[in-house]
Structure formats: C-alpha cells, structure tokens
Amino acid sequence: MGVTGPTGPVMDRDEVDRALARLGAEHEAIETSLLALQDHAGRRLLEGAGLTGVTAERWSATEASITLLWSYFDAYSGALRTAREIRARRRWSSREDLAELTELLRGESVTVAGSAAATANAPTLHGGPGRLSEHYSLATLVERMNQLYATSLDMVVAADAVWSALPARIDLLSAELQRTRRLAHSVGVRPGEHPAGDDLERITRTLTKLREQVVSDPLAFWLPAEGSSAPGGGRPDTTVYDREARALEEVRREIDAVLAVRQDAEQRIVRLRDVLSRADRTLAEARTARGEVLAKIAATEVPVVSGPPTVLQEQLATAAEYRRHAQWHRLSPLLESLEQKAEDELLRARESLTAVTAPLAVRAELRGRLDAYKAKVARLGLAEDPELVEKYEKARRMLWSAPCDLRVAEQAVLRYQQAAAELLGTAPRVPGQGGPVDRTGPGA
C-alpha cells in the first residue's frame, strides 16, 4: 500500500477500479430509484392535491427530503465524475493520483452546500441547516440517500395506496346509495317519514365527508404494518367505509321487505279479512251457544262472550287505505302487526266458544255414558230390573229436561252405574267414597 494518509493506506489501482465500478453501479441504481420516485403516480397526485392534516405535514417534509435527495445525488454524481476523470488521466495512475482518488473515494470529500438543506427545510447529518456547507464521504452520502429515499417512498406509497383503494370504493358505494334512494323514494321511504329514509340521509352525509377527508388527508386512513420496515408496509383503514356499507345493506333489506309488501299486499289484506271474519263468526257462534247453555243448563257458570274488537277492523281499513295510496312503508309494519293480532283474536274466539259450550259437552258425555250402561245391561238380560229401570228413568229425565242441573244429573248417572255394576258384580266407586269413578263406558 505504501503511503498512509488521513483516510488510511493509499488505494492501489485495482482497489480504485473496483471501487469506481461499485460506485458506478450504486449511482445507476440510485438514479433509477430517484427517477421512479419522481414519476410515481402517488407523488404526482400529492403535488397537485389540496392536502390537509397529517398528510399535508408529512408531504411538506417529504418534498424537502426529495429536494435534498437530488442535491445529494448531484453532489455524489459530481464526485464520481471527478474520480473517473482523475483515473482516466493515465493508464497507470501515479502515486499522487492514487492519493487524490483515495481521499475522494474514502474521505469526507463530497461537499453539499448548506443552502440546499436550508431550501429543502431538512436536517443534515451534522445538525441544522444553518451551516454554509456539509462534507460527506461517498459511503455516508449513499447511506443518507437510502434513508431519505425510504422515508419519502413510504409516504408516497401509503398515500397512493389509500387513494387507489378508498375513493373508488366510496364512489361505487355512493352509486349504490343513489340507486337505493331512488328505490326507497318509489315506495314512500323518505327522510322524516321512515327510519330507513333517515338512515339513507345519514349514510349520504357520512360518505360525502369521508371522500373529502380521504382525498385531502389520505394518511389519516393508513394503518402501518406493525414490525414492518419496508416502504408502504400497511393497509388502508376502511373502518368507516365498512360500517356505512353494512348500514346501507340493512336499509336495502328493509326496502326489499317493503317491496315484498307491495307485491303481495292485496293477498295479505284478503287473508286478514278472512281471519277476522272467522273470528267474528266464532264469537257469534259462542254468543248463540251461551244463550242455549243458559236455557238448557242450570246451576253452572257460563263465561260472558265479548264482542269483536272494532280496533282491528279500523286498522284493517287503514291498511287498505295505505295500499290504495301506495304508502308501502307504512303498510309494511301495520300488516305485520295486524297478522299477529288477527291470529290471536281467532284463537281467543275459539277458546271462548270452547269455554261456553263446555257444559253441553259434559251433558252429552253423561248422556252417552247412561245409554252405554243401559245397552250393556240389556245385552245381559237385566234391562227389566225394576230398580235399574227406576234409576235409569230418573237420570234420563234429568239429562233430557231443561234446564239440566249437571251436578245432580251426574250423581243420578253414577247411582245407575253403581246399581248396574252391582248386578254385574263390578261395583264402581262413587266420588267421595274412595277410588276412581268409571267414566269410560260399560267396557267390552
């Protein structure tokens, strides 16, 4: 190596040539990267956008970094050009040339004017931008350019990723929103008249504001990837967009339900009329049956039968009015409520009829049991027994006369059963005397 200078041993010709080749390759790679950054679609958009918030702050710093990058690159290019010129002076470089090349290639021989950093509003390796000039080695300058390039590219890529993802999706959702609003208007779903109409207005306002914010401040919607050092590592934050998309889908389902009402409203109203009519007829039958029970059955509680609820008929008339005036958004919830209430009313009417006619059912059961035992006695040739005839006639008069006292008639039937059973050798037990009473008929 020979002579030793401030930068260490003087490089020989081979070392110089290898260093120049490496630096040339680095220069080409850096130039390619800088040109790609210069032509990046995200950078061009950032230059022409009216930025706000965090994006405006970071773009101001990034612009300064890019300006400084080119200043560093120009200084690097100049130093490399000078080194190549010195090496090209002679085929066999002199010791003085090699010493000069060693200082240029290894020492802090690259000067960058302090005004460049000041103009770029960016800090330098040695402090603030107030110094007249900064001196770097080529290796340090490359490291510095790599750092500035990475941070600049990260900002540009992040902004471009948000702009590429969110505005287009917001526009598509807004188009779907407009179609939904027109459809909602056609079925009467309007703001102030239906909750879905209010939701559509809110979604419209939110999407409009969201798009404005995304365009002016894209970095506010960027989620950096944890632990990633690669430029542009992360993803767009679609939280607000996703929420509004779900809300619009819910509104669309509500409107689809209203549309379904429009399609089958007439059939549903006809079915409602039929159910309410059946309930009215059942109640009328129950009222008639109650009069019959009161005339034929004595000493029993017969529930009062209420009349049909007029409110359901009024609501049904309102539903028909909504249908005539195409007020589907009002008709939909009303029909759902009416259908449930109508079914409940029909069930109530049937239960009322069952409760009212219960005494007649009891009398019919007693009559059937009395005749069944008489038939069994007759088959065994005991029908003419005086005691049985007397008890049978007494029970029969009670059951076939009006009004019929069910409690007394039941006791008469039980006495006939007991007498017949005694003759047949199978005495049933009377209530109050222990054991069950045979109510299943005479058997086989």
Side-chain angles (χ1 to χ4, degrees), residues 286-337:
R287 286 191 293 273
T288 301
R290 185 174 188 274
E292 181 182 352
V293 170
L294 291 175
K296 294 180 178 180
I297 307 297
T300 187
E301 293 291 336
V302 183
V304 176
V305 180
S306 63
T310 58
V311 64
L312 294 185
Q313 293 294 343
E314 293 173 355
Q315 290 179 353
L316 183 59
T318 301
E321 190 71 14
Y322 285 161
R323 179 183 173 277
R324 279 193 296 272
H325 291 87
Q327 294 178 310
W328 311 112
H329 64 291
R330 294 181 177 175
L331 179 59
S332 177
L334 180 57
L335 281 180
E336 291 180 5
S337 173

Side-chain angles (χ1 to χ4, degrees), residues 367-377 379 416 440-443:
R367 285 178 174 179
R369 198 192 320 163
L370 181 65
D371 288 343
Y373 267 93
K374 180 184 178 184
K376 182 175 182 180
V377 168
R379 286 199 308 272
Y416 178 72
T440 60

Side-chain angles (χ1 to χ4, degrees), residues 85-144:
E85 289 173 354
I86 295 173
R87 179 65 184 87
R89 289 174 185 170
R90 304 175 180 84
R91 180 178 180 184
W92 302 101
S93 298
S94 65
R95 185 176 299 276
E96 291 75 13
D97 290 344
L98 292 176
E100 187 177 358
L101 285 169
T102 300
E103 174 65 24
L104 185 59
L105 296 177
R106 288 182 175 176
E108 292 187 352
S109 58
V110 182
T111 302
V112 178
S115 59
T119 302
N121 193 27
T124 66
L125 284 177
H126 304 296
R131 300 178 63 173
L132 294 177
S133 62
E134 295 288 335
H135 301 282
Y136 303 96
S137 68
L138 288 175
T140 302
L141 198 59
V142 169
E143 180 182 353
R144 177 63 171 157

Side-chain angles (χ1 to χ4, degrees), residues 148-438:
L148 290 175
Y149 175 78
T151 56
S152 300
L153 182 63
D154 180 72
M155 188 272 170
V156 170
V157 169
D160 186 54
V162 173
W163 278 334
S164 298
L166 272 176
R169 295 173 69 180
I170 294 171
D171 290 342
L172 288 174
L173 189 61
S174 297
E176 177 62 23
L177 173 64
Q178 293 306 315
R179 288 191 292 270
T180 303
R181 291 184 66 178
R182 288 193 295 270
L183 188 60
H185 186 81
S186 70
V187 294
V189 175
R190 299 180 176 87
E193 299 180 8
H194 193 280
D198 297 333
D199 288 341
L200 287 175
E201 286 298 302
R202 183 194 60 76
I203 295 171
T204 300
R205 291 193 299 270
T206 302
L207 288 182
T208 300
K209 183 178 179 181
L210 177 63
R211 196 182 194 287
E212 293 173 355
Q213 291 174 334
V214 167
V215 170
S216 66
D217 192 8
L219 294 187
F221 298 89
W222 180 251
L223 297 175
E226 295 184 5
S228 174
S229 59
R235 62 178 179 84
D237 182 2
T238 61
T239 302
V240 177
Y241 169 86
D242 293 338
R243 183 189 67 211
E244 299 308 313
R246 289 192 298 271
L248 180 59
E249 179 60 26
E250 291 175 3
V251 171
R252 182 54 192 258
R253 283 198 293 269
E254 288 188 36
I255 295 174
D256 287 342
V258 174
L259 286 171
V261 170
R262 182 171 67 177
Q263 293 172 358
D264 60 7
E266 183 175 4
Q267 294 179 356
R268 292 174 69 179
I269 290 176
V270 169
R271 285 197 298 268
L272 275 170
R273 287 198 181 103
D274 177 63
V275 172
L276 291 177
S277 177
R278 280 188 285 157
D280 290 348
R281 290 196 301 270
T282 303
L283 286 176
E285 184 180 350
R287 286 191 293 273
T288 301
R290 185 174 188 274
E292 181 182 352
V293 170
L294 291 175
K296 294 180 178 180
I297 307 297
T300 187
E301 293 291 336
V302 183
V304 176
V305 180
S306 63
T310 58
V311 64
L312 294 185
Q313 293 294 343
E314 293 173 355
Q315 290 179 353
L316 183 59
T318 301
E321 190 71 14
Y322 285 161
R323 179 183 173 277
R324 279 193 296 272
H325 291 87
Q327 294 178 310
W328 311 112
H329 64 291
R330 294 181 177 175
L331 179 59
S332 177
L334 180 57
L335 281 180
E336 291 180 5
S337 173
L338 266 176
E339 286 168 344
Q340 182 59 52
K341 291 178 181 177
E343 292 295 334
D344 293 344
E345 179 61 19
L346 180 57
L347 178 61
R348 184 184 71 84
R350 288 170 174 169
E351 291 174 346
S352 182
L353 178 60
T354 299
V356 165
T357 56
L360 293 179
V362 172
R363 187 185 67 172
E365 190 271 335
L366 290 173
R367 285 178 174 179
R369 198 192 320 163
L370 181 65
D371 288 343
Y373 267 93
K374 180 184 178 184
K376 182 175 182 180
V377 168
R379 286 199 308 272
L380 298 176
L382 300 174
E384 301 303 325
D385 181 86
E387 183 181 1
L388 289 181
V389 170
E390 178 185 358
K391 292 183 183 300
Y392 172 79
E393 290 298 331
K394 185 175 181 180
R396 187 178 186 284
R397 282 195 302 273
M398 289 182 181
L399 288 172
W400 269 269
S401 62
C404 171
D405 189 326
L406 289 178
R407 286 185 290 271
V408 175
E410 183 178 21
Q411 292 301 316
V413 171
L414 288 174
R415 285 192 290 272
Y416 178 72
Q417 282 183 253
Q418 186 179 29
E422 288 175 353
L423 287 177
L424 298 174
T426 57
R429 294 177 180 177
V430 180
Q433 297 181 358
V437 175
D438 182 7

